[in-house]
Amino acid sequence: MQLTFWGAAHMVTGSCYLLEHENHKFLVDCGMFQGNKALKQRNYSDFPFNPAEIDFVLLTHAHIDHSGLLPKLHKHGFKGTIWATEGTVDLCSAMLPDSAHIQESEVMQKNRKFLRSGQPTIEPIYTMEDAANTQKLFKGVKYRTPVYPAEGIQVTFY
């Protein structure tokens, strides 16, 4: 098994870990970077892996620095299941659309400034529609109940 840290390494935001096991690639978390302008800018960068090649995601909890880029992941090709506790699924059903709404509002405000100064406009990282589409990928599981997201992989949430 190979583990690659793509976030929350040397910092406490943007949690995202890629695990490769035999014929499977999966993520533990896919979080948004929060903090100063340079950290937030990382959210606009391409993923350092191909989202379409990710088989599934294990989401540890709903905090945006752990879940906040899931709609972007789906928007860019991820079609697998997002495994999380039932409580986390419920919280994400409110938090991800709220995050999208904030992004859309902030981008709208920035674009007004950009247009006035002749600069190119920007797109939000993801939209409310992207967040709603991502919600369909969630699979809620109970604590202390083993699940098998892929052959040879067992996961239990505690």
Side-chain angles (χ1 to χ4, degrees):
M1 184 175 293
Q2 181 176 332
L3 170 64
T4 307
F5 294 84
W6 291 117
H10 301 289
M11 65 184 80
V12 293
T13 189
S15 181
C16 185
Y17 313 110
L18 173 65
L19 285 101
E20 298 175 72
H21 173 69
E22 294 177 6
N23 297 323
H24 302 289
K25 290 183 181 181
F26 62 97
L27 297 179
V28 175
D29 294 340
C30 189
M32 187 171 277
F33 291 92
Q34 299 176 300
N36 63 37
K37 189 175 180 178
L39 280 175
K40 288 180 183 178
Q41 190 59 37
R42 288 182 178 204
N43 296 315
Y44 287 91
S45 300
D46 290 337
F47 286 109
F49 49 82
N50 181 350
E53 294 178 357
I54 302 300
D55 297 311
F56 60 91
V57 175
L58 303 174
L59 181 59
T60 60
H61 62 285
H63 288 166
I64 291 297
D65 65 321
H66 291 258
S67 68
L69 290 183
L70 288 169
K72 177 183 173 184
L73 186 74
H74 179 52
K75 180 178 180 176
H76 290 276
F78 172 71
K79 304 292 185 229
T81 301
I82 302 167
W83 297 86
T85 63
E86 293 167 338
T88 295
V89 173
D90 287 343
L91 283 168
C92 283
S93 72
M95 293 176 70
L96 294 178
D98 184 58
S99 173
H101 174 71
I102 291 167
Q103 290 172 59
E104 288 178 333
S105 297
E106 287 179 352
V107 164
M108 191 183 319
Q109 189 175 31
K110 287 179 183 179
N111 281 342
R112 277 190 229 123
K113 281 184 184 178
F114 293 159
L115 287 170
R116 283 194 303 267
S117 65
Q119 296 178 19
T121 58
I122 59 173
E123 295 289 323
I125 299 164
Y126 56 86
T127 64
M128 300 251 319
E129 181 180 353
D130 296 324
N133 290 336
T134 302
Q135 204 63 38
K136 298 171 189 173
L137 302 178
F138 278 83
K139 173 95 172 142
V141 298
K142 296 187 181 313
Y143 284 105
R144 296 180 173 79
T145 302
V147 294
Y148 302 87
E151 186 177 333
I153 300 174
Q154 176 184 323
V155 177
T156 305
F157 288 89
Y158 288 91

